[in-house]
Amino acid sequence: MLYTGYNDLSGPNFYVFRHRSPVFAWTGYLPLLPALTVDKLAVWKQKLLGQDQRTVFQPPDLSKSEPPESLSKQVGTTNSQDQKSAPVSTEWQFYCDQVYEVAKMALQNGKRVLIVTEPYISDKHVAQQKSLQEMIQMRFPNEPHLRYLNLGRTVDLRDKSLCWDGMHLTEEGNRRIAVALRRPVFDLLQN
């Protein structure tokens, strides 16, 4: 399952920590704790050098009604309710090529692939995922072991009961995603 998009909204994303990990190279699995440690050290270094400009997510302050402003500045906002109105752009070529290569490799190795759109976070994200869907339709026509599932409108990221900070889902938000995934995953595994 490929559930991706947010980290690629600001341009080509070349940072893949796991590929530098000997544990991942040997086992194909990367425990989360080392990655979190490296990320925390990077944040501390940025703070010490006065270069900390990333959005840092904290547990919700329930007295605030809006997501952090810095998140909107980084990824934009969603104005469109109709994903078909999103402009198609070559801006997403790198992202689409990366998803294509991973899906192709998995299919060549006899795997089934489910590519899933995360809940829409901005109009830019809608455009990115529209380009991704078009790429899938063009490069994988009638591929029985690959499915695309658009969950962009499954969870409204502005709803504090589903998403506490404008990006990260609450338990109920994650439950809704899981429910939406259940049938497509089952169907793909039966194929």
Side-chain angles (χ1 to χ4, degrees):
M1 181 182 310
L2 304 176
Y3 186 71
T4 182
Y6 296 163
N7 290 339
D8 300 282
L9 289 173
S10 298
N13 182 1
F14 296 97
Y15 183 75
V16 185
F17 168 76
R18 70 179 172 268
H19 290 176
R20 292 183 286 157
S21 164
V23 173
F24 181 79
W26 185 50
T27 66
Y29 172 76
L30 180 66
L32 191 55
L33 189 56
L36 292 175
T37 303
V38 167
D39 187 54
K40 190 64 172 176
L41 291 172
V43 169
W44 285 343
K45 179 181 176 185
Q46 288 176 343
K47 283 183 181 181
L48 287 172
L49 297 175
Q51 300 171 343
D52 187 19
Q53 297 176 0
R54 295 186 319 158
T55 299
V56 177
F57 297 96
Q58 302 293 331
D61 177 357
L62 299 178
S63 66
K64 293 182 179 179
S65 60
E66 296 295 318
E69 281 186 35
S70 57
L71 176 61
S72 298
K73 287 178 185 174
Q74 277 189 325
V75 299
T77 59
T78 304
N79 298 316
S80 165
Q81 289 300 314
D82 179 11
Q83 79 179 55
K84 292 178 183 170
S85 67
V88 178
S89 170
T90 57
E91 176 180 9
W92 308 115
Q93 188 68 45
F94 178 84
Y95 171 72
C96 290
D97 286 347
Q98 298 305 303
V99 173
Y100 169 76
E101 290 298 328
V102 169
K104 183 176 83 169
M105 181 177 63
L107 291 168
Q108 288 172 343
N109 286 299
K111 307 296 181 193
R112 291 172 175 87
V113 178
L114 180 61
I115 301 172
V116 182
T117 292
E118 296 172 293
Y120 291 136
I121 196 166
S122 67
D123 287 339
K124 194 172 184 179
H125 186 222
V126 174
Q128 176 201 57
Q129 294 301 303
K130 185 176 188 326
S131 292
L132 178 65
Q133 183 176 12
E134 290 172 354
M135 179 278 295
I136 292 166
Q137 291 168 345
M138 183 179 71
R139 292 187 175 179
F140 297 105
N142 306 313
E143 171 54 61
H145 294 117
L146 183 137
R147 296 275 174 18
Y148 172 73
L149 178 62
N150 187 332
L151 298 183
R153 303 252 181 249
T154 303
V155 173
D156 182 350
L157 298 180
R158 296 168 295 183
D159 183 339
K160 294 266 187 212
S161 70
L162 303 175
C163 178
W164 60 269
D165 66 353
M167 179 184 280
H168 298 94
L169 301 181
T170 63
E171 182 178 343
E172 176 58 20
N174 280 309
R175 187 195 66 74
R176 289 186 185 187
I177 295 295
V179 166
L181 286 170
R182 188 178 333 165
R183 174 52 56 187
V185 168
F186 180 79
D187 289 347
L188 186 60
L189 293 174
Q190 298 305 307
N191 189 357

